[in-house]
Amino acid sequence: EIGSGIRTPAWCSPRAQIVLTVCACAGASAFLYAVDPGRHAVYPQCLLYNTTGVYCAGCGTTRAIHALLHGHTIAALHDNALFVAALPLLFYVTGSYALTSWRANAWPEIPLEGRKFARRGIAIFLLMMAFMLLRNLPGWPFDWLKPLR
């Protein structure tokens, strides 16, 4: 049921939280648009890659976002194909949740049915591990999954 739960002051309402989140994302996007992660060391580096030389499932995500912000879809796919493929679903899920919250000015409960939630989590984990494995295999076509450095 929408609206049940803890009451918050008006200045901290769900609508205010959504506005602040959108502003923070816009600011972060503007910074990422202006500062190329391939040329500046202001962004955090992947600890797994720096210590082992193995690309994790998230390697190249910052560069992929930078490329997408500049309209370079192919470069973004090359940097992190899994992230770019998942982005429309991520936008849909977060957008629909935010829209529902905005209309009701309350955060809806997220149903966490144990087995279904666990199955989805395991499926996402296995997908990420498969992507990580494939992008670390040598040779063509797996080299295309490695992020541009």
Side-chain angles (χ1 to χ4, degrees):
E1 174 182 303
I2 295 176
S4 65
I6 300 170
R7 300 233 184 248
T8 57
W11 60 268
C12 193
S13 70
R15 286 184 182 155
Q17 293 173 25
I18 292 169
V19 169
L20 289 173
T21 301
V22 168
C23 289
C25 289
S29 296
F31 182 81
L32 190 53
Y33 181 85
V35 182
D36 184 358
R39 297 184 185 167
H40 301 283
V42 297
Y43 301 102
Q45 301 294 311
C46 178
L47 184 61
L48 180 67
Y49 179 77
N50 285 342
T51 56
T52 65
V54 173
Y55 294 109
C56 74
C59 279
T61 301
T62 307
R63 288 187 298 276
I65 296 170
H66 178 79
L68 285 173
L69 289 172
H70 285 272
H72 305 292
T73 309
I74 301 300
L77 280 167
H78 196 297
D79 284 326
N80 194 317
L82 180 63
F83 172 76
V84 174
L87 204 52
L89 179 64
L90 181 65
F91 279 146
Y92 172 76
V93 170
T94 56
S96 61
Y97 185 74
L99 185 61
T100 301
S101 303
W102 183 271
R103 287 180 178 156
N105 199 22
W107 295 112
E109 287 188 32
I110 301 174
L112 299 176
E113 300 163 11
R115 289 185 184 264
K116 185 187 279 189
F117 186 72
R119 274 190 247 123
R120 286 179 184 165
I122 291 169
I124 291 169
F125 175 76
L126 291 175
L127 177 67
M128 291 175 70
M129 291 301 106
F131 179 67
M132 184 175 156
L133 174 72
L134 291 174
R135 73 188 327 202
N136 285 290
L137 291 176
W140 187 88
F142 307 111
D143 287 338
W144 204 85
L145 294 175
K146 292 176 177 54
L148 299 171
R149 286 222 166 242

